[in-house]
Amino acid sequence: MTENVEIKALQECLDEYMTQTGRHEIDDIEANSALARAGLLEDDTPSPGKPLREILARLRDDNLLPQNIKHMYGRWKIRLSRTIAKAPLFFQFQYD
């Protein structure tokens, strides 16, 4: 499985998890737990969320991080990808 397909599979699994639980944003520990239950990414017992954090850090360093995933103040936040605009908004403000 190529890295791009792998990231899409992880993202689809997380979107499904957030839709089922009614959440719009989760952190890395909850995301890794959901991926482990789905059998896509094994979780690290002593350090929950570490495997996913390593993948996200590598994507961030390669400038390939999806726009629905943010790293702020030492925490990873993963938003439901369907809530992110796919194209920039032009003419947001109209003047008469």
Side-chain angles (χ1 to χ4, degrees):
M1 186 173 352
T2 65
E3 187 171 314
N4 193 25
V5 173
E6 180 180 322
I7 298 305
K8 285 183 180 184
L10 296 178
Q11 193 161 17
E12 287 173 5
C13 179
L14 292 175
D15 282 347
E16 184 178 324
Y17 169 76
M18 285 187 266
T19 302
Q20 289 175 352
T21 58
R23 310 272 308 271
H24 293 284
E25 183 178 273
I26 58 176
D27 63 358
D28 54 335
I29 295 172
E30 186 176 358
N32 205 146
S33 174
L35 292 170
R37 282 192 300 273
L40 293 175
L41 183 66
E42 193 172 319
D43 202 0
D44 188 19
T45 305
S47 181
K50 185 176 180 180
L52 181 61
R53 283 193 298 271
E54 290 174 349
I55 291 171
L56 296 177
R58 187 170 18 95
L59 289 172
R60 180 196 59 205
D61 294 345
D62 293 340
N63 201 23
L64 297 172
L65 196 64
Q67 72 183 90
N68 66 313
I69 301 173
K70 302 289 182 202
H71 187 235
M72 297 175 54
Y73 308 113
R75 301 282 305 196
W76 288 98
K77 294 292 182 183
I78 302 167
R79 293 187 53 93
L80 186 64
S81 67
R82 290 182 287 241
T83 62
I84 304 298
K86 299 296 182 196
L89 297 175
F90 292 103
F91 306 115
Q92 186 175 5
F93 302 102
Q94 294 183 4
Y95 299 100
D96 291 328

